[in-house]
Amino acid sequence: MNQPLDGIRITDFSHMQAGPFATMILAAMGAEVIKIESMQHVDPYRRSSPEGVDLSYSFNEFNLGKRSVRLNLREPRAVDLAKRLVAISDATIVNMRPGVIDRIGLGYEAQRQVRKDIIMAHISYSGWGDGPERNYAGYAGTFSAIGGAAHITGYPDGPPSENASTGWADCSTGVWAATALLAALQRREVSGEGAFLDISAREGVASFIPDVLLDYILATRVLDRSGNRDTVMAPHSCYPSKGEDSWVSIAVGTDAEWTALCQAMGNPSWVVDQRFATALGRWQNQDELDKLISVWTADLTSVEATERLQAVGVASAPSYNSHELHESEHLSQRGFWITVDHPFEGEHIKAGLPWRLSRTPVSPSGPAPWMGQHTEEVLTDLLGLTGDEISQLVDDGVAY
Amino acid sequence: MDKREAFETPKVAFECGMPMPFNLLSGVRVLEYAGLACGPFCGKVLADLGADVIKIEPPGSGDEARRRGPFLEDELNSEASVLFLAMNTNKRGITLDIATPDGQDIFLALLRWADVLVEDKAPGFWRDLDLPFERLHEANQQLVVTSITPYGQTGPHSEYKAHPLNVEHAGGGGYLAPNGRLSWETSSGRPPVKQGSYLMECEIGLNAATGTIAAVYARRLDGIGQHVDFSKQESQISTYRLPIDRYDYDGAVPERLSIGFTPLGILPGKDGWTLPLLLEPHMWESLAQLMGSPDWTQEEWFNDPMEIRARADFINEKVSEWLLEQPVEQFYHAAQAGGAAVGTVSTAKDLVESDQLSARSFFRPTQHPVVGRHLHPTIPLNLPEQSYEESMAAPLLGQDNEGVYCDLLGYTPADLVRLRQAGVV
């Protein structure tokens, strides 16, 4: 079966989550991804388990379907070999502070010398250019803070939501990089040119709130936290359902949906209260409204409430936790959960990727590699090195 | 005749000296039939990357975002909705009622022009119009159709109704927020929350663009398009896979009342909030120096990451106390100068006034007939060999009807009048 990136090869110099998620996506789309790693500078995501570099949960999450080649880029011969891999690659990806990859000897100019039309995706916290914060350090949590997500997420009377260990901003940055890289491949198909794609992680987050930013630009209004509330719709929140820390989300957008909600709740007497007669009234009195709706939801599981409301055309969904998502009949029937068999970790169920292309499927081809798993294979098959040459490189700390 | 030759008439926007964004998707033609935030943001990404995007809106009221604020002057004005303006740069705009027979003919003609259709209607919508994907594909074999729905085209929940709030909670991200050590107390007994504004809707819209471009690029294999069945719920779960996939490893169910970095995490400063994420030893050194090297930072244990974690409560107390006296911007720059990863919790004002974002041209000028000239947020990409000088503002309702119907599709002005009168356009 064909895949979108059949025949495409990517040399991957990235570490941790953003760059690796980008190349994991591209690998799942059919690209051959060669991940350059070394014991000299171990990917921090391989260090998250005391059990060793091949048994780290976070590494094994974000490196599905890639080949691992050990090259110690502090050694000139390793850099030469890396360049030879770049020469036979369509694209590369880097996830470092601006300038670091150049000091290593694998900057864009160096890459272009070995492959004229190389597409190089470079992810960094603040991007290249002359900005004052160009060399600053960042991780997913700091992108979320400085990109504007933290300030607007949480209760009005509570702190900003941290979202550092959920890692969502790293995944999104990876998606930005994969998207730009795919677009550059498309351009190359038409015009033959390569590209240097300068991607800023903090801007990646900021780009998801164009309305919030524009409202300040046009009207100097600053959006603050508002919990689950909407500027127009009410009821619009999560309500307590049966079970510990169990909640069901309900959003009502029209008078018809409001009537349906009342019906589903068995038309308790309070629904005819004048305060709730109009959309504006419901919005203005939603503190009270939410309390009253909670009385109804509290006796039902989030699934029961959802089924009853969906049956009458009201938008509702449980606030699913990971257990519930894994048990979901809907996701199961859609084949969303995939089974990945790792030689040391064993079999595990993981989230699939959300792109169901009807003719060229997107699906991870296998587990994350162990450290250096494909060094010999790649150096022999792709670069024509002999067994003796490879042994020498290992001994010399080049393929380390 | 190659179908592309049939449309060699000049394009209004990009071939007549109008502002150009990046050219990565130059030549890719996109029809966008979507509203509010997610689908339009997908269209925006494609447009900002250089695709020629024509946005189809229902005649009369247009995209529902036009009726949602905030509005420029605090009053309903469908040409001054900040939400609509934000999500629809670099697109041409036409009106069309696809539910009419004439409308369907026009739609099929447009599909023959297009490489891509991005749509966000419920699965039943296309069935009811007798326009299933197979029929769209018959009109144009090269067409990529990206269908954005809350739960996908198939499965027990495919007909479920969802507003953005519901998608975020159905996708597992909602359950995990608000998080952070200082949130735990305030969150106890209160519901989990979605991220602010349309942040996740846009993030999901980006994901829709990723699959779309992959499908376009896949055409180099055999020239044939395909259907992209895109579930917003699945996209959300994918973005939160790090905590969610833990479940099959240790049965742990991550939840907001236990997620949070310690020591430190998100903390209040003198005039705002900040997030120091000191994930490497030298970053703690940097913090110690900023604090004037108090005695406790000179102890042996301070050099040991395990010891630091073990003394989290103590460190939290000491640093929090000190941080309350520090202006957050000053702390940010001073800490970063010492190599520590810190991110100021930024408001819209902070972002718009950021020197760094300005140096990167993240905000670019645009000109709109009603709102005037202003800066507009773009995408997190720069291409050194290409300057993206200006964005084209979001279209007025039906702005490009003449350009598309007459110049592109060959209708006469009289035809257009007739179509307008019939409510088709």
Side-chain angles (χ1 to χ4, degrees):
Chain A
M1 180 111 41
N2 285 337
Q3 289 195 278
L5 295 183
D6 277 349
I8 297 297
R9 179 180 293 126
I10 299 174
T11 298
D12 178 4
F13 298 101
S14 70
H15 276 184
M16 298 185 73
Q17 189 173 330
F21 189 53
T23 51
M24 172 169 137
I25 289 169
L26 299 168
M29 289 179 173
E32 176 193 352
V33 174
I34 298 173
K35 184 182 175 82
I36 305 299
E37 326 193 54
S38 174
M39 289 307 290
Q40 178 64 47
H41 181 50
V42 180
D43 184 335
Y45 266 36
R46 280 199 184 271
R47 290 213 176 284
S48 73
S49 165
E51 298 182 51
V53 298
D54 298 322
L55 283 161
S56 165
Y57 166 75
S58 49
F59 183 87
N60 293 339
E61 263 296 287
F62 291 107
N63 291 279
L64 300 184
K66 302 177 197 174
R67 310 174 86 186
S68 168
V69 172
R70 281 170 70 167
L71 285 174
N72 173 11
L73 296 179
R74 290 204 188 158
E75 290 291 325
R77 271 180 291 164
V79 174
D80 284 339
L81 288 167
K83 277 192 198 161
R84 288 178 61 187
L85 287 171
V86 171
I88 54 170
S89 297
D90 299 278
T92 61
I93 188 158
V94 165
N95 186 3
M96 300 174 188
R97 278 188 238 198
V100 174
I101 192 68
D102 300 72
R103 288 197 286 282
I104 289 173
L106 288 160
Y108 184 48
E109 278 318 307
Q111 290 195 24
R112 268 224 286 214
Q113 265 170 35
V114 296
R115 172 118 190 191
K116 216 164 36 97
D117 62 349
I118 192 71
I119 293 168
M120 179 175 172
H122 189 289
I123 300 172
S124 60
Y125 168 57
S126 285
W128 289 68
D130 299 322
E133 298 170 31
R134 185 188 122 123
N135 292 315
Y136 282 17
Y139 302 107
T142 59
F143 311 152
S144 169
I146 205 151
H151 178 78
I152 59 174
T153 301
Y155 310 116
D157 61 344
S161 185
E162 186 180 284
N163 264 317
S165 32
T166 57
W168 76 265
D170 264 335
C171 280
S172 300
T173 302
V175 176
W176 271 118
T179 306
L181 206 150
L182 286 164
L185 281 168
Q186 175 61 27
R187 181 176 75 172
R188 190 189 69 167
E189 192 66 17
V190 172
S191 72
E193 44 184 328
F196 180 80
L197 306 167
D198 175 11
I199 296 139
S200 158
R202 69 194 276 181
E203 288 173 25
V205 171
S207 67
F208 297 140
I209 47 171
D211 54 318
V212 173
L213 300 175
L214 196 58
D215 207 35
Y216 182 79
I217 290 169
L218 294 177
T220 59
R221 291 184 288 231
V222 173
L223 185 72
D224 293 318
R225 296 185 271 298
S226 59
N228 282 309
R229 296 225 160 140
D230 186 69
T231 52
V232 170
M233 289 191 264
H236 188 279
S237 191
C238 275
Y239 302 89
S241 46
K242 216 195 294 186
E244 190 180 323
D245 199 27
S246 182
W247 306 86
V248 60
S249 66
I250 302 175
V252 165
T254 64
D255 287 337
E257 288 170 11
W258 165 247
T259 305
L261 170 64
C262 295
Q263 218 173 69
M265 293 192 291
N267 281 315
S269 55
W270 58 263
V271 303
V272 299
D273 188 321
Q274 269 305 104
R275 288 176 298 166
F276 308 137
T278 62
L280 180 59
R282 291 191 285 276
W283 192 88
Q284 285 169 335
N285 294 290
Q286 60 188 305
D287 284 347
E288 187 58 25
L289 184 54
D290 284 349
K291 284 199 192 101
L292 292 163
I293 293 173
S294 296
V295 172
W296 177 71
T297 58
D299 283 337
L300 301 166
T301 65
S302 58
V303 169
E304 281 166 352
T306 298
E307 282 170 357
R308 290 194 198 186
L309 290 173
Q310 289 290 351
V312 295
V314 173
S316 167
S319 184
Y320 285 123
N321 62 36
S322 58
H323 166 71
E324 290 164 330
L325 288 172
H326 280 82
E327 300 295 305
S328 159
E329 184 56 35
H330 175 77
L331 291 170
S332 169
Q333 279 192 32
R334 280 185 56 84
F336 177 70
W337 300 104
I338 61 176
T339 304
V340 178
D341 194 2
H342 187 280
F344 310 141
E345 262 191 357
E347 256 188 27
H348 279 291
I349 299 205
K350 293 178 187 284
L353 292 167
W355 304 291
R356 294 161 185 283
L357 275 58
S358 57
R359 301 184 70 244
T360 57
V362 175
S363 180
S365 62
W370 70 77
M371 169 70 90
Q373 178 175 349
H374 305 92
T375 306
E376 210 175 297
E377 205 175 301
V378 168
L379 293 182
T380 309
D381 295 346
L382 296 187
L383 297 186
L385 268 60
T386 64
D388 285 342
E389 285 171 321
I390 295 172
S391 300
Q392 192 65 58
L393 291 171
V394 172
D395 290 342
D396 293 348
V398 174
Y400 169 57
Chain B
M1 173 170 64
D2 180 335
K3 77 160 185 93
R4 299 187 83 80
E5 283 167 27
F7 295 105
E8 273 326 321
T9 47
K11 299 177 195 178
V12 172
F14 300 143
E15 287 172 10
C16 295
M18 294 291 285
M20 278 262 343
F22 295 121
N23 73 354
L24 297 179
L25 295 180
S26 191
V28 176
R29 301 166 173 173
V30 177
L31 271 183
E32 176 199 305
Y33 185 44
L36 198 64
C38 183
F41 190 78
C42 173
K44 177 183 192 289
V45 171
L46 298 172
D48 287 0
L49 289 173
D52 185 359
V53 179
I54 295 178
K55 181 185 176 79
I56 299 175
E57 299 186 64
S61 50
D63 182 329
E64 68 173 291
R66 290 182 184 275
R67 294 189 296 286
R68 282 192 139 252
F71 295 98
L72 187 57
E73 310 262 312
D74 262 331
E75 53 176 32
L76 180 74
N77 177 348
S78 65
E79 299 298 356
S81 152
V82 175
L83 178 62
F84 182 83
L85 292 167
M87 302 291 165
N88 293 285
T89 46
N90 293 315
K91 303 174 191 172
R92 294 191 264 171
I94 63 172
T95 50
L96 181 64
D97 184 356
I98 294 184
T100 60
D102 276 339
Q104 277 199 28
D105 286 342
I106 292 172
F107 184 61
L108 289 170
L110 285 168
L111 287 182
R112 282 187 280 275
W113 165 86
D115 295 296
V116 175
L117 167 67
V118 173
E119 62 90 8
D120 67 353
K121 308 306 169 215
F125 176 87
W126 298 104
R127 274 200 308 270
D128 292 346
L129 290 180
D130 191 31
L131 284 175
F133 172 65
E134 294 72 33
R135 245 196 101 193
L136 305 182
H137 195 62
E138 262 168 48
N140 179 356
Q141 274 218 312
Q142 296 175 32
L143 187 69
V144 168
V145 176
T146 293
S147 297
I148 300 171
T149 56
Y151 297 99
Q153 301 288 319
T154 60
H157 296 168
S158 62
E159 311 274 341
Y160 269 19
K161 202 167 187 177
H163 288 291
L165 172 76
N166 311 109
V167 169
E168 205 162 332
H169 285 279
Y175 193 74
L176 302 174
N179 55 68
R181 189 173 48 87
L182 294 190
S183 278
W184 298 343
E185 218 175 88
T186 357
S187 302
S188 188
R190 293 165 81 171
V193 300
K194 63 181 277 296
Q195 295 226 41
S197 197
Y198 295 95
L199 186 135
M200 288 315 299
E201 280 283 292
C202 290
E203 199 272 353
I204 293 168
L206 166 67
N207 275 268
T210 317
T212 303
I213 302 170
V216 168
Y217 185 62
R219 294 186 319 178
R220 79 193 184 294
L221 301 173
D222 61 6
I224 300 183
Q226 57 187 311
H227 194 197
V228 181
D229 168 11
F230 184 79
S231 153
K232 294 166 75 171
Q233 179 195 31
E234 289 175 0
S235 179
Q236 173 88 346
I237 297 170
S238 176
T239 288
Y240 281 91
R241 61 181 56 236
L242 181 64
I244 288 176
D245 275 353
R246 265 242 99 93
Y247 179 72
D248 196 56
Y249 280 74
D250 52 24
V253 177
E255 43 99 71
R256 68 202 178 292
L257 297 179
S258 57
I259 290 174
F261 257 83
T262 193
L264 304 187
I266 224 165
L267 289 168
K270 187 167 188 184
D271 55 358
W273 291 78
T274 182
L275 175 55
L277 266 187
L278 310 183
L279 300 185
E280 291 175 51
H282 72 267
M283 297 184 181
W284 285 99
E285 267 314 308
S286 164
L287 175 66
Q289 272 175 39
L290 278 184
M291 293 180 70
S293 301
D295 291 340
W296 60 271
T297 65
Q298 305 309 301
E299 308 267 349
E300 274 241 27
W301 60 260
F302 191 73
N303 299 317
D304 183 350
M306 302 247 312
E307 288 290 324
I308 285 190
R309 271 210 304 278
R311 290 160 206 267
D313 289 344
F314 170 77
I315 293 175
N316 285 334
E317 194 192 306
K318 289 289 181 197
V319 176
S320 300
E321 193 177 51
W322 175 79
L323 208 42
L324 275 172
E325 299 305 308
Q326 313 306 314
V328 291
E329 265 305 288
Q330 197 177 297
F331 170 66
Y332 170 62
H333 293 294
Q336 286 280 5
V342 173
T344 310
V345 172
S346 298
T347 64
K349 179 180 196 299
D350 296 329
L351 281 151
V352 172
E353 294 178 356
S354 158
D355 289 334
Q356 177 61 25
L357 259 51
S358 174
R360 292 266 306 169
S361 301
F362 177 71
F363 298 100
R364 289 175 164 96
T366 191
Q367 177 82 34
H368 186 270
V370 170
V371 171
R373 195 164 179 75
H374 60 273
L375 287 176
H376 200 283
T378 57
I379 56 177
L381 174 70
N382 273 355
L383 301 180
E385 89 276 7
Q386 219 174 90
S387 65
Y388 166 177
E389 297 289 351
E390 201 163 307
S391 286
M392 201 164 70
L396 300 176
L397 187 62
Q399 172 180 295
D400 297 287
N401 281 346
E402 242 173 72
V404 172
Y405 290 117
C406 301
D407 299 344
L408 191 66
L409 295 183
Y411 286 94
T412 66
D415 288 331
L416 190 51
V417 169
R418 181 183 60 81
L419 288 168
R420 278 195 170 113
Q421 282 171 343
V424 176
V425 163

